[in-house]
Amino acid sequence: AASVAQVHAATLHDGTAVVVKIVHQGSDERAAEDLEIMNSLAQLWEHNDPRAKQYRPVQIAHEVSTMVLDAMDMRTELTTLRAFGKRLAEHREICIPTPFPELSSQRVLTMTRLEGTPLRTTADVEQAGWEVDSLTHQVVSLYFEMIFEHGMFHADPHRGNFILLHDGRLGILDFGDIGRFTAARREQMERMVLALALRDAEEFSRVLIEISDPPPTANMTQLRIDLGSWFDRYVDVGVGELDLGSLIRSAMGLLHRHGLTLPADFTLLIR
């Protein structure tokens, strides 16, 4: 069970093992009420507080509403599963559930059942026949492909959404949260990754400023100085020395101080 839906094991009349994902009774009505309140508060804040406009609360509330409503419509996840199934078909070591459109609807999604070992510990990985380094490389490579080639990526990659199948493949579950990148955003991401790899603080700052769209009141000189200091402190070190939590907190604090906001697609990638 999760916040939006609950998954039940089932068997089709022909013996096929499936799972049936059903939206919780009344959750769509409650979500609609909550989203209406959130959007109203965002409009009220932006209308009455001149400082609020730099954070674009109305735009953010709209983006969140779209994401929530998409997650609650099982037809959206069905379409996503089919799209990912086609895009990842060549990856024989990867498996995602196959949906059954004739047994699905707005509130119900029926798909093939994946059975195997949950990805919890190093011992689980090794007992399933994988090496940890190999699994890590596989997942990272897959995400780079989804982001930079397909422009669409699974946006909820916690360990509960991965399963090590009995046949040696890696199963990926729950395609309710999906991130999408336009060609222009992918180009920005490529520049940012290259800047990180080359330790190029100036280029990294240029790309981040493009993505975050600073307000007219931003002090660009000070912003670039602060971004350069942040880069030197957190990025220009070895991977083993990185404190990811501190890095993200400091980055978000820096953006907040300068009145910058990240678009929804980029925020999903950070998550």
Side-chain angles (χ1 to χ4, degrees), residues 85-232:
K86 292 179 181 178
R87 286 172 169 82
L88 304 180
E90 295 182 0
H91 290 272
R92 303 300 180 188
E93 72 283 3
I94 301 295
C95 180
I96 65 174
T98 301
F100 293 84
E102 69 279 8
L103 298 174
S104 302
S105 67
Q106 183 176 356
R107 301 180 60 85
V108 176
L109 174 61
T110 304
M111 51 194 153
T112 52
R113 191 191 315 172
L114 304 188
E115 297 185 277
T117 303
L119 200 161
R120 298 193 186 96
T121 66
T122 298
D124 292 331
V125 175
E126 294 173 344
Q127 288 175 9
W130 284 77
E131 294 182 356
V132 174
D133 286 349
S134 176
L135 177 63
T136 304
H137 184 272
Q138 185 70 53
V139 174
V140 172
S141 298
L142 180 65
Y143 263 80
F144 267 65
E145 178 182 329
M146 288 191 286
I147 292 167
F148 293 110
E149 293 186 27
H150 306 316
M152 186 168 74
F153 58 93
H154 183 287
D156 194 17
H158 63 77
R159 62 183 181 180
N161 283 337
F162 293 92
I163 185 170
L164 302 168
L165 305 185
H166 298 314
D167 61 8
R169 292 181 296 167
L170 174 66
I172 306 177
L173 308 173
D174 193 356
F175 285 76
D177 286 342
I178 298 299
R180 291 178 173 83
F181 277 165
T182 62
R185 182 74 79 224
R186 293 202 299 273
E187 189 268 339
Q188 290 173 326
M189 285 300 305
E190 289 169 5
R191 289 168 54 200
M192 182 173 284
V193 169
L194 283 173
L196 289 169
L198 298 173
R199 301 292 194 266
D200 188 342
E202 291 186 8
E203 174 64 5
F204 179 86
S205 298
R206 278 194 293 269
V207 179
L208 187 60
I209 288 170
E210 284 181 23
I211 291 174
S212 56
D213 189 21
T217 55
N219 184 332
M220 300 305 295
T221 300
Q222 188 60 49
L223 172 58
R224 289 188 175 91
I225 291 173
D226 289 349
L227 283 172
S229 298
W230 176 88
F231 192 96
D232 291 341

Side-chain angles (χ1 to χ4, degrees), residues 52-66:
K53 291 185 178 180
Q54 68 180 6
Y55 303 114
R56 299 189 273 280
V58 172
Q59 177 185 337
I60 292 173
H62 174 73
E63 292 173 346
V64 171
S65 297
T66 300

